[in-house]
Amino acid sequence: MKKEIILASGSPRRSDLLHQVGISPVICPSRADEAISETRPDLVVQELASRKAQEVASRYEGQDVIVLGADTVVSIDHEILGKPGCEQKAEEMITRLQGRTHQVYTGVSLIFTGTKEQITFAEKTDVHVAPMTREQIRRYIAEGESLDKAGAYGIQGKFAAYVTGISGDYNNVVGLPLAHVCQVLREKEEM
């Protein structure tokens, strides 16, 4: 990398994805307000990613770095499913997703502090989930990996056993559309 990348997120999955392509980001979780004014999932994730990147970029004024903000949501029937927070909510979410196709949206905002340029975009991936019994859903939730994840599942974990396919970028579902991010960095000649 020509410039230091500041990841405006504490997500270990996003950090791991960047490391996978040789980017070692500085981790600087955003403290931005996450209230939303949009309702469309693609606009929601762009709004939040932008706000997160801007908050962290404000801490790097006068420095020539790239701040990367991101936000991921799961959507079904045009409704956003956030992090469940409790097992009952996780069960409700997985019950809605099982046997159906839903969408995962990740918004990314890159701020080039030297030029103050900001590039923001959203990526969508369709995820196809196999039918699941109530017992399978409860067993999955009991594993403990669903409570802190949008839509109550992690594709890179045990839930992979129920994902029958995807249409789009797998890494987008994990939390960062890596190829798109790298494409923007290459276009900006930062990679």
Side-chain angles (χ1 to χ4, degrees), residues 66-144:
I66 302 166
V67 177
L68 190 162
D71 193 78
T72 302
V73 299
V74 170
S75 173
I76 190 161
D77 302 325
H78 307 289
E79 181 185 338
I80 293 174
L81 303 182
K83 296 176 183 176
C86 71
E87 289 187 1
Q88 178 184 345
K89 197 81 168 140
E91 185 175 344
E92 290 170 12
M93 288 181 183
I94 299 291
T95 298
R96 284 187 69 187
L97 299 177
Q98 66 84 26
R100 299 184 62 200
T101 297
H102 65 276
Q103 293 68 45
V104 176
Y105 293 88
T106 298
V108 174
S109 192
L110 292 156
I111 297 178
F112 300 81
T113 62
T115 62
K116 301 200 183 329
E117 180 180 9
Q118 183 170 1
I119 297 171
T120 303
F121 60 87
E123 189 90 15
K124 177 186 91 158
T125 303
D126 291 323
V127 180
H128 315 287
V129 180
M132 298 171 70
T133 66
R134 190 171 189 170
E135 181 57 34
Q136 287 170 324
I137 293 169
R138 287 184 171 166
R139 266 199 318 266
Y140 171 70
I141 292 165
E143 295 287 339

Side-chain angles (χ1 to χ4, degrees), residues 7 12 30 41 55 80 127 132 184:
L7 179 59
S30 172
E55 190 279 322
I80 293 174
V127 180
M132 298 171 70
V184 170

